[in-house]
Amino acid sequence: YHRQERTTRDNIYAVGDVLVNGLELTPVAIQSGVLLMQRLYDGRKENMSYALVPTVVFTTPEYGACGMSEELAKEVFGEKHIEVFHAEFAPLEWTVPHCKFQCYVKVIANYLDHGRIVGMHYLGPNAGEVLQGFAAAVRCGITKAELDSVTGIHPVCAEEIVTLRRTKRSGAVFRKTGC
């Protein structure tokens, strides 16, 4: 019943925190409620996409994700069909004070579906701000080739996502140095 927020009764629905194994996030409750209302009263058909909800853990540094984990993508699509692009980097604003934290970014592409991005992970400053726009792109079905065609804004952390070229499979060093 989770897919359309239906309960065991035809005319009773559940959204937000009351869903079993649901995401206990206010924006999820709001969005699923809006979509339910549109299905019931506006004749629309769109369901809440719980698999693509971006989320952030506000630690130091922050961690954010949207879509599948690398492990889940391999399980669903098979390891040979998944390409994982990744990099470790230090934000420019952290280089002068010599911060000890390193940041990390990972994009998971499904080559069974033309390189469609199925997961994005980011560990670094302002994870929510960085991932919000990319989450929209993932939701719209962006491919790795399309992501590669985006010109980065320099020198910001989000630039690291659009300049990813190293893959885990290649075994290449994934630590970036300098700008």
PDB file of all heavy atoms in Angstrom, residues 63-64 84-89 102-108 119-124 130-131 134 147 157-166 168 174 176:
ATOM      1  N   TYR A  63      26.957  15.187   5.000  1.00  0.00           N
ATOM      2  CA  TYR A  63      26.821  14.104   4.027  1.00  0.00           C
ATOM      3  C   TYR A  63      25.441  14.197   3.392  1.00  0.00           C
ATOM      4  O   TYR A  63      24.443  14.319   4.099  1.00  0.00           O
ATOM      5  CB  TYR A  63      26.983  12.727   4.682  1.00  0.00           C
ATOM      6  CG  TYR A  63      26.579  11.610   3.753  1.00  0.00           C
ATOM      7  CD1 TYR A  63      27.403  11.249   2.689  1.00  0.00           C
ATOM      8  CD2 TYR A  63      25.358  10.972   3.890  1.00  0.00           C
ATOM      9  CE1 TYR A  63      27.026  10.261   1.801  1.00  0.00           C
ATOM     10  CE2 TYR A  63      24.967   9.977   3.014  1.00  0.00           C
ATOM     11  CZ  TYR A  63      25.800   9.622   1.973  1.00  0.00           C
ATOM     12  OH  TYR A  63      25.412   8.649   1.089  1.00  0.00           O
ATOM     13  N   GLY A  64      25.385  14.133   2.076  1.00  0.00           N
ATOM     14  CA  GLY A  64      24.108  14.159   1.372  1.00  0.00           C
ATOM     15  C   GLY A  64      24.061  13.094   0.302  1.00  0.00           C
ATOM     16  O   GLY A  64      25.097  12.696  -0.254  1.00  0.00           O
ATOM     17  N   VAL A  84      30.969   3.723 -11.379  1.00  0.00           N
ATOM     18  CA  VAL A  84      31.033   4.621 -10.238  1.00  0.00           C
ATOM     19  C   VAL A  84      32.150   5.629 -10.481  1.00  0.00           C
ATOM     20  O   VAL A  84      33.314   5.255 -10.615  1.00  0.00           O
ATOM     21  CB  VAL A  84      31.286   3.847  -8.927  1.00  0.00           C
ATOM     22  CG1 VAL A  84      31.407   4.805  -7.745  1.00  0.00           C
ATOM     23  CG2 VAL A  84      30.180   2.833  -8.689  1.00  0.00           C
ATOM     24  N   PHE A  85      31.782   6.885 -10.562  1.00  0.00           N
ATOM     25  CA  PHE A  85      32.729   7.987 -10.725  1.00  0.00           C
ATOM     26  C   PHE A  85      32.913   8.620  -9.358  1.00  0.00           C
ATOM     27  O   PHE A  85      31.932   8.845  -8.647  1.00  0.00           O
ATOM     28  CB  PHE A  85      32.174   9.017 -11.712  1.00  0.00           C
ATOM     29  CG  PHE A  85      31.943   8.455 -13.079  1.00  0.00           C
ATOM     30  CD1 PHE A  85      30.764   7.785 -13.378  1.00  0.00           C
ATOM     31  CD2 PHE A  85      32.910   8.572 -14.064  1.00  0.00           C
ATOM     32  CE1 PHE A  85      30.555   7.252 -14.645  1.00  0.00           C
ATOM     33  CE2 PHE A  85      32.709   8.046 -15.326  1.00  0.00           C
ATOM     34  CZ  PHE A  85      31.531   7.377 -15.617  1.00  0.00           C
ATOM     35  N   HIS A  86      34.162   8.904  -8.979  1.00  0.00           N
ATOM     36  CA  HIS A  86      34.362   9.436  -7.636  1.00  0.00           C
ATOM     37  C   HIS A  86      35.622  10.277  -7.553  1.00  0.00           C
ATOM     38  O   HIS A  86      36.511  10.185  -8.400  1.00  0.00           O
ATOM     39  CB  HIS A  86      34.375   8.313  -6.604  1.00  0.00           C
ATOM     40  CG  HIS A  86      35.557   7.391  -6.715  1.00  0.00           C
ATOM     41  ND1 HIS A  86      36.106   6.769  -5.639  1.00  0.00           N
ATOM     42  CD2 HIS A  86      36.303   6.986  -7.776  1.00  0.00           C
ATOM     43  CE1 HIS A  86      37.120   6.021  -6.026  1.00  0.00           C
ATOM     44  NE2 HIS A  86      37.256   6.135  -7.316  1.00  0.00           N
ATOM     45  N   ALA A  87      35.673  11.110  -6.524  1.00  0.00           N
ATOM     46  CA  ALA A  87      36.844  11.940  -6.276  1.00  0.00           C
ATOM     47  C   ALA A  87      36.863  12.379  -4.821  1.00  0.00           C
ATOM     48  O   ALA A  87      35.815  12.585  -4.208  1.00  0.00           O
ATOM     49  CB  ALA A  87      36.845  13.171  -7.176  1.00  0.00           C
ATOM     50  N   GLU A  88      38.053  12.497  -4.304  1.00  0.00           N
ATOM     51  CA  GLU A  88      38.272  13.102  -2.993  1.00  0.00           C
ATOM     52  C   GLU A  88      38.873  14.471  -3.270  1.00  0.00           C
ATOM     53  O   GLU A  88      39.713  14.615  -4.160  1.00  0.00           O
ATOM     54  CB  GLU A  88      39.247  12.239  -2.203  1.00  0.00           C
ATOM     55  CG  GLU A  88      39.412  12.654  -0.772  1.00  0.00           C
ATOM     56  CD  GLU A  88      40.348  11.711  -0.036  1.00  0.00           C
ATOM     57  OE1 GLU A  88      39.861  10.689   0.491  1.00  0.00           O
ATOM     58  OE2 GLU A  88      41.552  12.012  -0.006  1.00  0.00           O
ATOM     59  N   PHE A  89      38.439  15.468  -2.535  1.00  0.00           N
ATOM     60  CA  PHE A  89      38.912  16.820  -2.803  1.00  0.00           C
ATOM     61  C   PHE A  89      38.905  17.651  -1.524  1.00  0.00           C
ATOM     62  O   PHE A  89      38.303  17.271  -0.524  1.00  0.00           O
ATOM     63  CB  PHE A  89      38.055  17.503  -3.877  1.00  0.00           C
ATOM     64  CG  PHE A  89      36.632  17.752  -3.446  1.00  0.00           C
ATOM     65  CD1 PHE A  89      36.249  18.992  -2.965  1.00  0.00           C
ATOM     66  CD2 PHE A  89      35.670  16.751  -3.527  1.00  0.00           C
ATOM     67  CE1 PHE A  89      34.942  19.230  -2.554  1.00  0.00           C
ATOM     68  CE2 PHE A  89      34.362  16.980  -3.127  1.00  0.00           C
ATOM     69  CZ  PHE A  89      33.995  18.223  -2.640  1.00  0.00           C
ATOM     70  N   GLN A 102      38.794  15.827   4.527  1.00  0.00           N
ATOM     71  CA  GLN A 102      38.757  15.682   3.083  1.00  0.00           C
ATOM     72  C   GLN A 102      37.296  15.502   2.698  1.00  0.00           C
ATOM     73  O   GLN A 102      36.504  14.970   3.470  1.00  0.00           O
ATOM     74  CB  GLN A 102      39.564  14.463   2.620  1.00  0.00           C
ATOM     75  CG  GLN A 102      41.053  14.670   2.668  1.00  0.00           C
ATOM     76  CD  GLN A 102      41.517  15.707   1.647  1.00  0.00           C
ATOM     77  OE1 GLN A 102      41.166  15.645   0.484  1.00  0.00           O
ATOM     78  NE2 GLN A 102      42.306  16.661   2.104  1.00  0.00           N
ATOM     79  N   CYS A 103      36.956  15.922   1.503  1.00  0.00           N
ATOM     80  CA  CYS A 103      35.598  15.776   1.006  1.00  0.00           C
ATOM     81  C   CYS A 103      35.586  14.674  -0.057  1.00  0.00           C
ATOM     82  O   CYS A 103      36.631  14.317  -0.607  1.00  0.00           O
ATOM     83  CB  CYS A 103      35.113  17.090   0.420  1.00  0.00           C
ATOM     84  SG  CYS A 103      35.110  18.407   1.652  1.00  0.00           S
ATOM     85  N   TYR A 104      34.405  14.167  -0.338  1.00  0.00           N
ATOM     86  CA  TYR A 104      34.286  13.048  -1.271  1.00  0.00           C
ATOM     87  C   TYR A 104      32.989  13.197  -2.053  1.00  0.00           C
ATOM     88  O   TYR A 104      31.971  13.612  -1.498  1.00  0.00           O
ATOM     89  CB  TYR A 104      34.285  11.728  -0.496  1.00  0.00           C
ATOM     90  CG  TYR A 104      34.205  10.488  -1.340  1.00  0.00           C
ATOM     91  CD1 TYR A 104      35.321  10.024  -2.040  1.00  0.00           C
ATOM     92  CD2 TYR A 104      33.029   9.765  -1.433  1.00  0.00           C
ATOM     93  CE1 TYR A 104      35.263   8.880  -2.813  1.00  0.00           C
ATOM     94  CE2 TYR A 104      32.962   8.616  -2.189  1.00  0.00           C
ATOM     95  CZ  TYR A 104      34.081   8.176  -2.873  1.00  0.00           C
ATOM     96  OH  TYR A 104      34.011   7.039  -3.630  1.00  0.00           O
ATOM     97  N   VAL A 105      33.038  12.862  -3.324  1.00  0.00           N
ATOM     98  CA  VAL A 105      31.848  12.886  -4.158  1.00  0.00           C
ATOM     99  C   VAL A 105      31.811  11.617  -4.996  1.00  0.00           C
ATOM    100  O   VAL A 105      32.851  11.103  -5.410  1.00  0.00           O
ATOM    101  CB  VAL A 105      31.789  14.165  -5.040  1.00  0.00           C
ATOM    102  CG1 VAL A 105      32.949  14.218  -6.007  1.00  0.00           C
ATOM    103  CG2 VAL A 105      30.469  14.279  -5.756  1.00  0.00           C
ATOM    104  N   LYS A 106      30.598  11.077  -5.192  1.00  0.00           N
ATOM    105  CA  LYS A 106      30.432   9.844  -5.956  1.00  0.00           C
ATOM    106  C   LYS A 106      29.149   9.945  -6.776  1.00  0.00           C
ATOM    107  O   LYS A 106      28.109  10.362  -6.272  1.00  0.00           O
ATOM    108  CB  LYS A 106      30.351   8.656  -5.001  1.00  0.00           C
ATOM    109  CG  LYS A 106      30.063   7.348  -5.684  1.00  0.00           C
ATOM    110  CD  LYS A 106      30.175   6.088  -4.829  1.00  0.00           C
ATOM    111  CE  LYS A 106      29.809   6.130  -3.414  1.00  0.00           C
ATOM    112  NZ  LYS A 106      29.878   4.808  -2.753  1.00  0.00           N
ATOM    113  N   VAL A 107      29.245   9.555  -8.044  1.00  0.00           N
ATOM    114  CA  VAL A 107      28.086   9.489  -8.931  1.00  0.00           C
ATOM    115  C   VAL A 107      28.019   8.071  -9.487  1.00  0.00           C
ATOM    116  O   VAL A 107      29.022   7.521  -9.951  1.00  0.00           O
ATOM    117  CB  VAL A 107      28.202  10.516 -10.081  1.00  0.00           C
ATOM    118  CG1 VAL A 107      27.151  10.271 -11.146  1.00  0.00           C
ATOM    119  CG2 VAL A 107      28.091  11.928  -9.530  1.00  0.00           C
ATOM    120  N   ILE A 108      26.828   7.478  -9.439  1.00  0.00           N
ATOM    121  CA  ILE A 108      26.625   6.097  -9.883  1.00  0.00           C
ATOM    122  C   ILE A 108      25.759   6.114 -11.132  1.00  0.00           C
ATOM    123  O   ILE A 108      24.641   6.639 -11.114  1.00  0.00           O
ATOM    124  CB  ILE A 108      25.944   5.271  -8.773  1.00  0.00           C
ATOM    125  CG1 ILE A 108      26.780   5.358  -7.488  1.00  0.00           C
ATOM    126  CG2 ILE A 108      25.740   3.832  -9.214  1.00  0.00           C
ATOM    127  CD1 ILE A 108      25.989   5.156  -6.233  1.00  0.00           C
ATOM    128  N   GLY A 119      22.385   7.322  -8.651  1.00  0.00           N
ATOM    129  CA  GLY A 119      22.764   7.681  -7.297  1.00  0.00           C
ATOM    130  C   GLY A 119      23.816   8.762  -7.291  1.00  0.00           C
ATOM    131  O   GLY A 119      24.664   8.825  -8.183  1.00  0.00           O
ATOM    132  N   MET A 120      23.745   9.621  -6.290  1.00  0.00           N
ATOM    133  CA  MET A 120      24.709  10.698  -6.133  1.00  0.00           C
ATOM    134  C   MET A 120      24.963  10.871  -4.638  1.00  0.00           C
ATOM    135  O   MET A 120      24.018  10.928  -3.852  1.00  0.00           O
ATOM    136  CB  MET A 120      24.152  11.980  -6.747  1.00  0.00           C
ATOM    137  CG  MET A 120      25.161  13.077  -6.914  1.00  0.00           C
ATOM    138  SD  MET A 120      24.500  14.461  -7.863  1.00  0.00           S
ATOM    139  CE  MET A 120      24.572  13.810  -9.528  1.00  0.00           C
ATOM    140  N   HIS A 121      26.247  10.947  -4.263  1.00  0.00           N
ATOM    141  CA  HIS A 121      26.628  11.057  -2.858  1.00  0.00           C
ATOM    142  C   HIS A 121      27.692  12.135  -2.717  1.00  0.00           C
ATOM    143  O   HIS A 121      28.588  12.235  -3.553  1.00  0.00           O
ATOM    144  CB  HIS A 121      27.155   9.713  -2.342  1.00  0.00           C
ATOM    145  CG  HIS A 121      26.158   8.618  -2.516  1.00  0.00           C
ATOM    146  ND1 HIS A 121      25.334   8.214  -1.498  1.00  0.00           N
ATOM    147  CD2 HIS A 121      25.822   7.876  -3.595  1.00  0.00           C
ATOM    148  CE1 HIS A 121      24.530   7.252  -1.948  1.00  0.00           C
ATOM    149  NE2 HIS A 121      24.815   7.037  -3.222  1.00  0.00           N
ATOM    150  N   TYR A 122      27.594  12.901  -1.640  1.00  0.00           N
ATOM    151  CA  TYR A 122      28.489  14.031  -1.452  1.00  0.00           C
ATOM    152  C   TYR A 122      28.797  14.176   0.030  1.00  0.00           C
ATOM    153  O   TYR A 122      27.888  14.191   0.860  1.00  0.00           O
ATOM    154  CB  TYR A 122      27.812  15.295  -1.983  1.00  0.00           C
ATOM    155  CG  TYR A 122      28.536  16.575  -1.679  1.00  0.00           C
ATOM    156  CD1 TYR A 122      29.505  17.064  -2.541  1.00  0.00           C
ATOM    157  CD2 TYR A 122      28.240  17.307  -0.537  1.00  0.00           C
ATOM    158  CE1 TYR A 122      30.173  18.255  -2.259  1.00  0.00           C
ATOM    159  CE2 TYR A 122      28.898  18.489  -0.253  1.00  0.00           C
ATOM    160  CZ  TYR A 122      29.863  18.958  -1.111  1.00  0.00           C
ATOM    161  OH  TYR A 122      30.514  20.123  -0.839  1.00  0.00           O
ATOM    162  N   LEU A 123      30.076  14.278   0.351  1.00  0.00           N
ATOM    163  CA  LEU A 123      30.522  14.526   1.714  1.00  0.00           C
ATOM    164  C   LEU A 123      31.360  15.791   1.669  1.00  0.00           C
ATOM    165  O   LEU A 123      32.435  15.806   1.064  1.00  0.00           O
ATOM    166  CB  LEU A 123      31.367  13.347   2.216  1.00  0.00           C
ATOM    167  CG  LEU A 123      31.949  13.485   3.620  1.00  0.00           C
ATOM    168  CD1 LEU A 123      30.846  13.404   4.664  1.00  0.00           C
ATOM    169  CD2 LEU A 123      32.997  12.413   3.861  1.00  0.00           C
ATOM    170  N   GLY A 124      30.837  16.865   2.248  1.00  0.00           N
ATOM    171  CA  GLY A 124      31.541  18.131   2.207  1.00  0.00           C
ATOM    172  C   GLY A 124      30.658  19.256   2.721  1.00  0.00           C
ATOM    173  O   GLY A 124      29.537  19.026   3.171  1.00  0.00           O
ATOM    174  N   VAL A 130      24.413  21.985  -2.188  1.00  0.00           N
ATOM    175  CA  VAL A 130      25.073  21.393  -3.349  1.00  0.00           C
ATOM    176  C   VAL A 130      24.145  20.393  -4.041  1.00  0.00           C
ATOM    177  O   VAL A 130      24.004  20.392  -5.265  1.00  0.00           O
ATOM    178  CB  VAL A 130      26.403  20.722  -2.938  1.00  0.00           C
ATOM    179  CG1 VAL A 130      26.976  19.879  -4.070  1.00  0.00           C
ATOM    180  CG2 VAL A 130      27.407  21.773  -2.489  1.00  0.00           C
ATOM    181  N   LEU A 131      23.481  19.544  -3.259  1.00  0.00           N
ATOM    182  CA  LEU A 131      22.713  18.451  -3.863  1.00  0.00           C
ATOM    183  C   LEU A 131      21.309  18.818  -4.335  1.00  0.00           C
ATOM    184  O   LEU A 131      20.743  18.103  -5.153  1.00  0.00           O
ATOM    185  CB  LEU A 131      22.618  17.278  -2.892  1.00  0.00           C
ATOM    186  CG  LEU A 131      23.841  16.373  -2.859  1.00  0.00           C
ATOM    187  CD1 LEU A 131      23.624  15.228  -1.894  1.00  0.00           C
ATOM    188  CD2 LEU A 131      24.182  15.848  -4.233  1.00  0.00           C
ATOM    189  N   PHE A 134      21.143  19.117  -8.098  1.00  0.00           N
ATOM    190  CA  PHE A 134      21.498  17.842  -8.712  1.00  0.00           C
ATOM    191  C   PHE A 134      20.408  16.798  -8.484  1.00  0.00           C
ATOM    192  O   PHE A 134      20.174  15.944  -9.330  1.00  0.00           O
ATOM    193  CB  PHE A 134      22.843  17.342  -8.188  1.00  0.00           C
ATOM    194  CG  PHE A 134      24.005  18.136  -8.715  1.00  0.00           C
ATOM    195  CD1 PHE A 134      24.740  18.945  -7.871  1.00  0.00           C
ATOM    196  CD2 PHE A 134      24.361  18.082 -10.053  1.00  0.00           C
ATOM    197  CE1 PHE A 134      25.812  19.685  -8.349  1.00  0.00           C
ATOM    198  CE2 PHE A 134      25.427  18.814 -10.546  1.00  0.00           C
ATOM    199  CZ  PHE A 134      26.157  19.620  -9.693  1.00  0.00           C
ATOM    200  N   LEU A 147      25.543  15.182 -17.680  1.00  0.00           N
ATOM    201  CA  LEU A 147      26.209  15.818 -16.548  1.00  0.00           C
ATOM    202  C   LEU A 147      27.582  16.332 -16.968  1.00  0.00           C
ATOM    203  O   LEU A 147      27.976  17.439 -16.603  1.00  0.00           O
ATOM    204  CB  LEU A 147      26.342  14.834 -15.384  1.00  0.00           C
ATOM    205  CG  LEU A 147      26.908  15.387 -14.086  1.00  0.00           C
ATOM    206  CD1 LEU A 147      25.975  16.409 -13.460  1.00  0.00           C
ATOM    207  CD2 LEU A 147      27.173  14.253 -13.104  1.00  0.00           C
ATOM    208  N   CYS A 157      32.300  23.858  -4.528  1.00  0.00           N
ATOM    209  CA  CYS A 157      32.313  22.405  -4.323  1.00  0.00           C
ATOM    210  C   CYS A 157      31.456  21.655  -5.335  1.00  0.00           C
ATOM    211  O   CYS A 157      31.801  20.550  -5.744  1.00  0.00           O
ATOM    212  CB  CYS A 157      31.854  22.077  -2.908  1.00  0.00           C
ATOM    213  SG  CYS A 157      33.017  22.636  -1.643  1.00  0.00           S
ATOM    214  N   ALA A 158      30.340  22.244  -5.767  1.00  0.00           N
ATOM    215  CA  ALA A 158      29.462  21.568  -6.733  1.00  0.00           C
ATOM    216  C   ALA A 158      30.170  21.319  -8.055  1.00  0.00           C
ATOM    217  O   ALA A 158      29.803  20.398  -8.796  1.00  0.00           O
ATOM    218  CB  ALA A 158      28.202  22.396  -6.957  1.00  0.00           C
ATOM    219  N   GLU A 159      31.187  22.092  -8.336  1.00  0.00           N
ATOM    220  CA  GLU A 159      31.971  21.894  -9.563  1.00  0.00           C
ATOM    221  C   GLU A 159      32.566  20.488  -9.600  1.00  0.00           C
ATOM    222  O   GLU A 159      32.727  19.895 -10.677  1.00  0.00           O
ATOM    223  CB  GLU A 159      33.082  22.934  -9.629  1.00  0.00           C
ATOM    224  CG  GLU A 159      33.985  22.806 -10.835  1.00  0.00           C
ATOM    225  CD  GLU A 159      35.140  23.792 -10.807  1.00  0.00           C
ATOM    226  OE1 GLU A 159      35.532  24.274  -9.723  1.00  0.00           O
ATOM    227  OE2 GLU A 159      35.656  24.082 -11.900  1.00  0.00           O
ATOM    228  N   GLU A 160      32.882  19.935  -8.446  1.00  0.00           N
ATOM    229  CA  GLU A 160      33.474  18.597  -8.391  1.00  0.00           C
ATOM    230  C   GLU A 160      32.554  17.545  -8.998  1.00  0.00           C
ATOM    231  O   GLU A 160      33.020  16.567  -9.573  1.00  0.00           O
ATOM    232  CB  GLU A 160      33.816  18.221  -6.944  1.00  0.00           C
ATOM    233  CG  GLU A 160      34.783  19.162  -6.270  1.00  0.00           C
ATOM    234  CD  GLU A 160      36.145  19.222  -6.944  1.00  0.00           C
ATOM    235  OE1 GLU A 160      36.554  18.237  -7.591  1.00  0.00           O
ATOM    236  OE2 GLU A 160      36.807  20.272  -6.816  1.00  0.00           O
ATOM    237  N   ILE A 161      31.257  17.742  -8.893  1.00  0.00           N
ATOM    238  CA  ILE A 161      30.297  16.771  -9.428  1.00  0.00           C
ATOM    239  C   ILE A 161      30.298  16.779 -10.951  1.00  0.00           C
ATOM    240  O   ILE A 161      30.237  15.724 -11.580  1.00  0.00           O
ATOM    241  CB  ILE A 161      28.886  17.025  -8.852  1.00  0.00           C
ATOM    242  CG1 ILE A 161      28.906  16.761  -7.339  1.00  0.00           C
ATOM    243  CG2 ILE A 161      27.837  16.161  -9.552  1.00  0.00           C
ATOM    244  CD1 ILE A 161      27.643  17.136  -6.612  1.00  0.00           C
ATOM    245  N   VAL A 162      30.385  17.948 -11.559  1.00  0.00           N
ATOM    246  CA  VAL A 162      30.328  18.012 -13.030  1.00  0.00           C
ATOM    247  C   VAL A 162      31.681  17.760 -13.682  1.00  0.00           C
ATOM    248  O   VAL A 162      31.762  17.676 -14.908  1.00  0.00           O
ATOM    249  CB  VAL A 162      29.711  19.337 -13.542  1.00  0.00           C
ATOM    250  CG1 VAL A 162      28.289  19.496 -13.026  1.00  0.00           C
ATOM    251  CG2 VAL A 162      30.562  20.536 -13.169  1.00  0.00           C
ATOM    252  N   THR A 163      32.732  17.636 -12.879  1.00  0.00           N
ATOM    253  CA  THR A 163      34.053  17.357 -13.456  1.00  0.00           C
ATOM    254  C   THR A 163      34.541  15.945 -13.138  1.00  0.00           C
ATOM    255  O   THR A 163      35.700  15.630 -13.398  1.00  0.00           O
ATOM    256  CB  THR A 163      35.099  18.382 -12.960  1.00  0.00           C
ATOM    257  OG1 THR A 163      35.169  18.324 -11.535  1.00  0.00           O
ATOM    258  CG2 THR A 163      34.750  19.791 -13.416  1.00  0.00           C
ATOM    259  N   LEU A 164      33.685  15.100 -12.599  1.00  0.00           N
ATOM    260  CA  LEU A 164      34.076  13.724 -12.269  1.00  0.00           C
ATOM    261  C   LEU A 164      34.418  12.942 -13.528  1.00  0.00           C
ATOM    262  O   LEU A 164      33.597  12.834 -14.443  1.00  0.00           O
ATOM    263  CB  LEU A 164      32.940  12.996 -11.550  1.00  0.00           C
ATOM    264  CG  LEU A 164      32.738  13.307 -10.083  1.00  0.00           C
ATOM    265  CD1 LEU A 164      31.502  12.586  -9.572  1.00  0.00           C
ATOM    266  CD2 LEU A 164      33.955  12.912  -9.270  1.00  0.00           C
ATOM    267  N   ARG A 165      35.606  12.361 -13.579  1.00  0.00           N
ATOM    268  CA  ARG A 165      36.005  11.534 -14.715  1.00  0.00           C
ATOM    269  C   ARG A 165      36.631  10.214 -14.272  1.00  0.00           C
ATOM    270  O   ARG A 165      36.688   9.277 -15.036  1.00  0.00           O
ATOM    271  CB  ARG A 165      37.017  12.279 -15.611  1.00  0.00           C
ATOM    272  CG  ARG A 165      36.510  13.617 -16.161  1.00  0.00           C
ATOM    273  CD  ARG A 165      35.344  13.456 -17.132  1.00  0.00           C
ATOM    274  NE  ARG A 165      34.951  14.722 -17.714  1.00  0.00           N
ATOM    275  CZ  ARG A 165      34.035  15.542 -17.219  1.00  0.00           C
ATOM    276  NH1 ARG A 165      33.397  15.250 -16.110  1.00  0.00           N
ATOM    277  NH2 ARG A 165      33.724  16.667 -17.835  1.00  0.00           N
ATOM    278  N   ARG A 166      37.117  10.140 -13.034  1.00  0.00           N
ATOM    279  CA  ARG A 166      37.779   8.924 -12.554  1.00  0.00           C
ATOM    280  C   ARG A 166      36.727   7.910 -12.111  1.00  0.00           C
ATOM    281  O   ARG A 166      35.785   8.246 -11.399  1.00  0.00           O
ATOM    282  CB  ARG A 166      38.692   9.251 -11.376  1.00  0.00           C
ATOM    283  CG  ARG A 166      39.853  10.141 -11.743  1.00  0.00           C
ATOM    284  CD  ARG A 166      40.654  10.486 -10.487  1.00  0.00           C
ATOM    285  NE  ARG A 166      41.677  11.451 -10.782  1.00  0.00           N
ATOM    286  CZ  ARG A 166      41.569  12.750 -10.566  1.00  0.00           C
ATOM    287  NH1 ARG A 166      40.462  13.233 -10.062  1.00  0.00           N
ATOM    288  NH2 ARG A 166      42.556  13.555 -10.853  1.00  0.00           N
ATOM    289  N   LYS A 168      35.924   4.058 -10.264  1.00  0.00           N
ATOM    290  CA  LYS A 168      36.468   3.075  -9.325  1.00  0.00           C
ATOM    291  C   LYS A 168      37.084   1.911 -10.090  1.00  0.00           C
ATOM    292  O   LYS A 168      38.132   1.406  -9.741  1.00  0.00           O
ATOM    293  CB  LYS A 168      35.370   2.562  -8.388  1.00  0.00           C
ATOM    294  CG  LYS A 168      35.147   3.411  -7.186  1.00  0.00           C
ATOM    295  CD  LYS A 168      34.271   2.680  -6.201  1.00  0.00           C
ATOM    296  CE  LYS A 168      34.248   3.420  -4.887  1.00  0.00           C
ATOM    297  NZ  LYS A 168      33.438   2.703  -3.898  1.00  0.00           N
ATOM    298  N   PHE A 174      42.032   8.758  -6.946  1.00  0.00           N
ATOM    299  CA  PHE A 174      40.829   9.598  -6.960  1.00  0.00           C
ATOM    300  C   PHE A 174      40.964  10.855  -6.117  1.00  0.00           C
ATOM    301  O   PHE A 174      40.019  11.588  -5.960  1.00  0.00           O
ATOM    302  CB  PHE A 174      39.596   8.803  -6.546  1.00  0.00           C
ATOM    303  CG  PHE A 174      39.639   8.257  -5.145  1.00  0.00           C
ATOM    304  CD1 PHE A 174      39.083   8.981  -4.107  1.00  0.00           C
ATOM    305  CD2 PHE A 174      40.230   7.038  -4.866  1.00  0.00           C
ATOM    306  CE1 PHE A 174      39.105   8.493  -2.812  1.00  0.00           C
ATOM    307  CE2 PHE A 174      40.264   6.546  -3.577  1.00  0.00           C
ATOM    308  CZ  PHE A 174      39.697   7.269  -2.547  1.00  0.00           C
ATOM    309  N   LYS A 176      42.035  14.557  -5.744  1.00  0.00           N
ATOM    310  CA  LYS A 176      42.368  15.717  -6.568  1.00  0.00           C
ATOM    311  C   LYS A 176      43.329  16.610  -5.808  1.00  0.00           C
ATOM    312  O   LYS A 176      43.242  16.743  -4.598  1.00  0.00           O
ATOM    313  CB  LYS A 176      41.115  16.512  -6.918  1.00  0.00           C
ATOM    314  CG  LYS A 176      40.234  15.818  -7.922  1.00  0.00           C
ATOM    315  CD  LYS A 176      39.071  16.674  -8.324  1.00  0.00           C
ATOM    316  CE  LYS A 176      39.552  17.776  -9.224  1.00  0.00           C
ATOM    317  NZ  LYS A 176      38.500  18.598  -9.765  1.00  0.00           N
TER     318      LYS A 176
END
